[in-house]
Amino acid sequence: MNQPVVREVTLKKEYSFQYENFVLSSQHELYLVLAKDGSSVSALKFRFSTFKYGSPNDEARGSHPLAKFGLGLYGLYQVENSPWIHELMVANRIHPRHQDLMFADRKHFIACFKDVMLEVVCREFEEIEIEERALLAVLQAELLCLE
């Protein structure tokens, strides 16, 4: 496997990538909520396979295995030649209909904040503006699935 390469992603808007963020996730979509202006919410929406949310914070970010490949302290990054995607692909080989090609369209993104980071393996993501009521409707629809 080739060495990972980590590159910062340029978004349409500038976000502080400091403290305020949260994740809203269903089984197929994940919203990383970054800002709110009135009733308009700015978010990154991922059609994801898996994610991790939590440590390391910025003070321990140097311990992350991708730090030496360009992972910065704050912002959104994409990992090429992702060891995590490779690990997921190898683990899936136990499935009788597995093909490595199934992982060819997977992308690995890392959003780095002061106290947490979000890592996502997904097929795609988009930067969106969504009305607060529409975001609440996403949550309500997921709650209905539990009934």
Side-chain angles (χ1 to χ4, degrees):
M1 188 175 145
N2 294 330
Q3 291 286 337
V5 176
V6 182
R7 291 195 172 91
E8 189 164 10
V9 175
T10 303
L11 298 168
K12 296 174 201 168
K13 288 176 61 176
E14 284 194 35
Y15 304 98
S16 69
F17 283 91
Q18 288 290 314
Y19 292 104
E20 305 309 322
N21 71 86
F22 73 89
V23 170
L24 175 63
S25 179
S26 69
Q27 291 185 22
H28 305 287
E29 292 179 338
L30 179 142
Y31 295 83
L32 173 60
V33 179
L34 295 169
K36 184 173 182 276
D37 184 13
S39 64
S40 180
V41 176
S42 299
L44 303 180
K45 180 181 175 183
F46 297 87
R47 189 169 156 244
F48 79 99
S49 302
T50 190
F51 73 95
K52 303 174 194 177
Y53 185 72
S55 64
N57 66 7
D58 63 345
E59 294 162 336
R61 189 87 18 92
S63 69
H64 192 283
L66 295 171
K68 63 184 175 186
F69 297 105
L71 183 63
L73 290 178
Y74 308 107
L76 180 67
Y77 300 86
Q78 183 171 0
V79 181
E80 297 172 15
N81 304 320
S82 168
W84 191 22
I85 294 174
H86 182 75
E87 174 187 327
L88 294 168
M89 179 186 68
V90 169
N92 194 64
R93 287 179 179 159
I94 196 166
H95 192 286
R97 291 186 299 278
H98 169 85
Q99 294 178 1
D100 285 356
L101 188 59
M102 297 163 65
F103 289 80
D105 65 347
R106 298 298 201 285
K107 297 175 178 118
H108 180 182
F109 292 96
I110 305 174
C112 297
F113 299 92
K114 175 129 183 77
D115 293 327
V116 296
M117 55 190 292
L118 168 71
E119 291 195 59
V120 181
V121 170
C122 64
R123 287 192 169 91
E124 59 190 38
F125 92 94
E126 61 183 318
E127 186 176 1
I128 64 168
E129 294 291 323
I130 185 170
E131 287 297 310
E132 181 179 350
R133 69 179 179 277
L135 189 59
L136 290 172
V138 169
L139 176 59
Q140 289 171 334
E142 290 302 318
L143 289 172
L144 287 174
C145 293
L146 298 176
E147 294 179 352

